[in-house]
Amino acid sequence: MATKYMNYDMIQKYTELPQFPEIRTRILYAFLNQSNTMQENSELFSLVTSLVQVGLETHDSVSITNEAKDIRTARSRQIKVLAGDYFSACFYSLLAKSGHIQLIGALAEAICEANRLKLTLYETMKTLKMPADEYLKQSIEVRMQLYLAFTPFMQSPMDRIWPEILRLFTQGELLLQEVGRMEKEQPILDSWSFWYLLQHTSKEERKLMQVEEPDQGKLRSLWMKYKISAQLYQMLLATSRQLQEKLHNLDLQEFSKELLSIGEPFVLYLSTPKALEEI
């Protein structure tokens, strides 16, 4: 459903979009389907929330300065700005046409709160004194805000269990993305790994990390030296176990099975030979 809004030729030709928030969107859809009042519109509500989330993250990926080194880079920056605006416009349009004005207000408030939390996070990051665990905690809070907007609309007991289950799924999703960063040679500044290394590396190693375009080979060496993969594995394992315990304790057996299936990417990674070798 989201593909027709996201797969435009101009976007695919000039830039890349952030990863689609599949796990958060799937659990939102599952929870909405448990509510008599929300079930009828569960697809629409999940779609617009995912589009807004992609829009926010697309804007987050826009470079701070406009000093493009080539035309393609400049065009990529322009497309990201326009794409983020477009996804937000789709959210307003789809909900307005369907008459869900109250939800527009709820999600607009959530957008404001997400941006407020981001500002706090960025200000702390500027000091270069953020503990890695605090970075992870604040990043999860930012990613949860749009989805938390649905809590008041959920029926009991879903409204009580939704925030904690959302938090665990969001944490697992974030940790999985962390694992893939070095494999894809993505910048690590906006990551738990960066802040962990900044806390534990030597002065010379910290200088290496803070240059504008750090050497990916040297970063990979630091990654291996400080056993980042092993630590991410253990963190994801703990998150997965907490999640499974929560879900097994739910009274709704079929619903619990559905949520467990959404968490399969965590289990799949934790059982891969490569992940086991790295620890």
Side-chain angles (χ1 to χ4, degrees):
M1 293 176 67
T3 298
K4 68 177 182 179
Y5 298 99
M6 298 173 61
N7 281 11
Y8 277 93
D9 292 342
M10 286 285 284
I11 293 175
Q12 294 179 340
K13 183 177 180 180
Y14 289 106
T15 194
E16 292 183 2
L17 294 176
Q19 186 173 332
F20 186 80
E22 181 177 349
I23 290 177
R24 279 167 288 166
T25 303
R26 286 182 65 191
I27 61 169
L28 174 62
Y29 177 72
F31 268 84
L32 293 180
N33 275 332
Q34 295 297 312
S35 170
N36 293 331
T37 58
M38 305 291 279
Q39 187 177 34
E40 182 181 354
N41 296 291
S42 57
E43 283 190 353
L44 172 64
F45 294 166
S46 300
L47 170 64
V48 297
T49 306
S50 67
L51 289 175
V52 177
Q53 186 66 44
V54 172
L56 291 174
E57 293 183 9
T58 300
H59 278 165
D60 288 344
S61 67
V62 176
S63 59
I64 296 174
T65 62
N66 195 21
E67 299 173 0
K69 297 179 180 178
D70 53 65
I71 294 176
R72 186 174 184 83
T73 303
R75 183 60 54 85
S76 173
R77 188 177 189 276
Q78 292 171 346
I79 294 297
K80 284 179 179 178
V81 172
L82 294 173
D85 290 345
Y86 172 67
F87 297 143
S88 294
C90 289
F91 142 65
Y92 283 108
S93 176
L94 289 169
L95 287 181
K97 286 178 181 178
S98 60
H100 296 290
I101 307 304
Q102 185 181 5
L103 187 58
I104 292 178
L107 284 172
E109 288 182 9
I111 291 170
C112 291
E113 179 61 12
N115 286 331
R116 185 190 70 79
L117 292 171
K118 269 187 243 179
L119 182 59
T120 301
L121 176 60
Y122 295 156
E123 288 297 322
T124 309
M125 288 168 67
K126 281 183 183 180
T127 68
L128 295 179
K129 294 179 180 179
M130 172 173 281
D133 291 346
E134 183 62 24
Y135 169 82
L136 185 65
K137 178 182 175 182
Q138 290 192 35
S139 297
I140 291 168
E141 287 293 329
V142 169
R143 289 167 175 246
M144 289 173 56
Q145 290 309 306
L146 292 183
Y147 300 86
L148 284 174
F150 288 89
T151 309
F153 300 97
M154 293 182 181
Q155 296 173 325
S156 181
M158 296 302 159
D159 58 342
R160 295 196 303 273
I161 63 177
W162 167 242
E164 183 56 25
I165 289 178
L166 172 63
R167 183 180 302 280
L168 289 169
F169 269 109
T170 304
Q171 181 165 316
E173 187 182 42
L174 182 56
L175 290 172
L176 268 187
Q177 289 179 12
E178 288 271 348
V179 168
R181 278 184 181 273
M182 288 306 294
E183 293 178 1
K184 298 176 183 177
E185 295 195 351
Q186 294 175 334
I188 68 165
L189 174 60
D190 190 12
S191 71
W192 174 89
S193 309
F194 176 85
W195 297 101
Y196 178 85
L197 289 173
L198 206 61
Q199 284 178 268
H200 295 88
T201 51
S202 67
K203 184 178 180 180
E204 291 303 313
E205 289 170 334
R206 287 196 293 274
K207 285 182 181 179
L208 187 153
M209 292 169 54
Q210 294 176 51
V211 297
E212 186 175 346
E213 294 184 5
D215 184 296
Q216 289 295 323
K218 292 179 180 178
L219 285 179
R220 188 177 295 277
S221 297
L222 290 178
W223 183 285
M224 298 297 291
K225 177 180 177 180
Y226 290 92
K227 303 185 184 301
I228 298 298
S229 292
Q231 294 190 69
L232 289 172
Y233 179 97
Q234 293 299 336
M235 292 164 67
L236 183 58
L237 179 61
T239 301
S240 180
R241 285 174 174 171
Q242 288 179 53
L243 185 57
Q244 289 182 43
E245 183 180 352
K246 286 271 184 189
L247 298 182
H248 282 307
N249 290 333
L250 292 181
D251 294 332
L252 301 169
Q253 190 173 6
E254 290 303 314
F255 182 54
S256 176
K257 286 181 180 179
E258 181 181 0
L259 294 180
L260 283 168
S261 70
I262 296 173
E264 283 180 358
F266 308 150
V267 178
L268 184 62
Y269 168 74
L270 291 169
S271 62
T272 56
K274 182 177 179 181
L276 294 172
E277 286 172 9
E278 288 177 341
I279 64 167

